[in-house]
């Protein structure tokens, strides 16, 4: 591990601006500096008042956050900003759903760490690309949830590193519990498993399902929250959602460029010559994430209201095409 940098000084004006929105879905990670995001990440743990209860010294946590940042690659989308955006959204949704009061201390700590590490060292391409290109990662993880397994592996390698030792005060039972939560949460973000979660939510929210079979266990709740956070760009104010839409399609198109260069079959959504950015957003809401959020809202009524902005955004996309979106944002996203 290279030398861990010093924790940077805090820009007080930026910090106060962001702190006001930290518990809400109006927080805009892209409007802050990389250093600002370090402080917001730490603030989430401090607001939860969790560190003393899980015996994690603040200096160790700071080192860990710094190292996580250093391990996030400079992709258009899957980068340090996305890591903090998801971490903050996990925090916001967990508070809104009342989960921070229902979970144990280790579970709360694991949930936030899961958000922070869920895309650690993401290479900017998806699992099918890694498998089709016969990458080392796909070989290592036997083509199964390749990225998610890598994120888990690297997260624990960093936490257990001799220069960090984030979990050194955990008992064996605490470590086993913490590790299980983090692994299950991060593995849940594999979109190849999306249908699995939709099917389970349908059963859990179906009135015909016997009451005893409609009970939702805490681990499943956490997996639902991190899945929501990982796909939450559509839940943010439209001026924020538009910036993330540009970034994610930039990354898709770069993957398509690599597929062409390697002579691989071109993934339709990654083909910049015919795939529309706005059309991708509409299709994602209409056919993938909109139905999922409806089910989540039925299972967690407290979250229904925060999902409302997604449908307003979906209506707003009807007034856009790719040219308008590009002219409006330029390179400012």
């Amino acid at each position: 591990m290279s030398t861990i940098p010093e924790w940077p000084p805090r820009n007080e004006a930026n910090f106060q601006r962001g702190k006001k929105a930290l518990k809400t879905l109006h927080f805009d990670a892209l409007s802050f500096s990389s250093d600002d995001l370090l402080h917001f990440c730490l603030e989430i743990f401090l607001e939860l008042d969790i560190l003393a209860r899980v015996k994690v010294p603040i200096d160790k946590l700071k080192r860990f956050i710094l190292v996580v940042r250093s391990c996030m690659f400079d992709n258009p989308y899957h980068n340090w900003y996305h890591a903090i955006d998801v971490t903050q959204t996990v925090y916001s949704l967990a508070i809104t759903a009342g989960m921070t009061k229902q979970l144990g201390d280790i579970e709360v700590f694991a949930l936030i760490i899961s958000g922070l590490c869920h895309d650690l060292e993401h290479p900017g391409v998806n699992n099918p690309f890694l498998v089709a290109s016969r990458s080392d990662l796909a070989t290592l993880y036997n083509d199964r949830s390749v990225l998610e397994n890598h994120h888990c592996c690297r997260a624990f390698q960093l936490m257990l590193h001799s220069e960090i030792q984030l979990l050194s005060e955990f008992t064996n039972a605490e470590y086993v519990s913490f590790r299980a939560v983090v692994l299950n949460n991060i593995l849940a973000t594999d979109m190849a498993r999306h249908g699995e979660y939709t099917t389970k939510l349908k059963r859990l929210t179906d009135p015909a399902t016997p009451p005893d079979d409609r009970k939702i266990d805490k681990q499943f709740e956490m997996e639902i929250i991190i899945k929501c956070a990982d796909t939450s760009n559509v839940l943010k104010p439209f001026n924020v959602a538009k910036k993330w839409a540009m970034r994610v399609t930039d990354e898709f198109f770069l993957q398509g460029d690599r597929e062409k260069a390697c002579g691989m079959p071109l993934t339709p959504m990654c083909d910049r010559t015919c795939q529309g950015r706005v059309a991708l957003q509409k299709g994602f809401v209409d056919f993938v994430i909109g139905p999922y959020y409806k089910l989540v809202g039925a299972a967690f009524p407290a979250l229904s209201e925060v999902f409302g902005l997604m449908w307003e955004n979906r209506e707003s996309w009807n007034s856009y095409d790719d040219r308008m979106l590009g002219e409006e944002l330029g390179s400012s996203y």
Side-chain angles (χ1 to χ4, degrees), residues 252-267:
F252 288 164
F253 294 158
L254 287 173
Q255 175 175 317
D257 295 344
R258 291 178 64 178
E259 289 171 340
K260 283 184 179 179
C262 295
M264 296 166 60
L266 191 56
T267 304

Side-chain angles (χ1 to χ4, degrees), residues 126-128 130-132 135-152 186-187 190-193:
N126 60 20
N127 281 330
L130 292 172
V131 172
S135 69
D136 289 344
L137 285 180
T139 302
L140 179 62
Y141 297 113
N142 302 313
D143 298 348
R144 299 177 182 177
S145 298
V146 176
L147 288 168
E148 294 73 24
N149 274 301
H150 182 65
H151 306 324
C152 290
I186 294 178
L187 290 171
D190 183 356
M191 285 301 289
R193 298 179 60 197

Side-chain angles (χ1 to χ4, degrees), residues 155-316:
F156 277 93
Q157 285 178 337
L158 295 181
M159 282 186 266
L160 299 175
H161 194 280
S162 60
E163 294 183 34
I164 298 176
Q165 299 186 58
L166 187 70
L167 314 174
S168 62
E169 298 302 316
F170 278 23
T171 66
N172 186 61
E174 289 169 338
Y175 176 79
V176 169
S177 175
F178 171 85
R179 179 168 166 80
V181 171
V182 172
L183 296 183
N184 284 321
N185 287 350
I186 294 178
L187 290 171
T189 63
D190 183 356
M191 285 301 289
R193 298 179 60 197
H194 187 68
E196 169 190 330
Y197 284 90
T198 300
T199 298
K200 185 171 182 178
L201 282 168
K202 285 179 179 178
R203 180 174 58 80
L204 289 169
T205 56
D206 186 347
T209 301
D212 287 346
D213 294 336
R214 293 206 302 266
K215 294 178 181 178
I216 303 176
D217 64 79
K218 291 191 292 184
Q219 180 57 51
F220 186 69
E221 287 181 352
M222 289 186 281
E223 291 170 23
I224 290 299
I225 289 294
I226 197 167
K227 274 183 61 63
C228 287
D230 195 29
T231 55
S232 65
N233 303 153
V234 297
L235 303 178
K236 306 298 172 69
F238 194 53
N239 66 307
V240 178
K242 285 184 291 188
K243 293 188 288 186
W244 287 114
M246 289 292 285
R247 284 173 170 262
V248 74
T249 47
D250 279 351
E251 192 165 302
F252 288 164
F253 294 158
L254 287 173
Q255 175 175 317
D257 295 344
R258 291 178 64 178
E259 289 171 340
K260 283 184 179 179
C262 295
M264 296 166 60
L266 191 56
T267 304
M269 73 176 183
C270 298
D271 186 351
R272 67 171 72 245
T273 65
C274 62
Q275 178 60 68
R277 297 176 189 263
V278 172
L280 272 173
Q281 293 302 304
K282 291 179 179 179
F284 185 59
V285 172
D286 291 348
F287 304 112
V288 181
I289 214 62
Y292 172 76
Y293 281 137
K294 283 184 179 179
L295 292 169
V296 174
F300 302 91
L303 294 177
S304 294
E305 185 175 346
V306 301
F307 294 160
L309 193 55
M310 174 181 63
W311 301 112
E312 294 179 26
N313 289 344
R314 173 61 184 85
E315 184 65 26
S316 296

Side-chain angles (χ1 to χ4, degrees), residues 42 55 75 88-89 132 138 154 220 258 283 322:
L42 178 63
K55 299 167 290 184
N75 301 309
Q88 182 274 328
T89 305
R154 292 296 291 132
F220 186 69
R258 291 178 64 178
D322 286 19

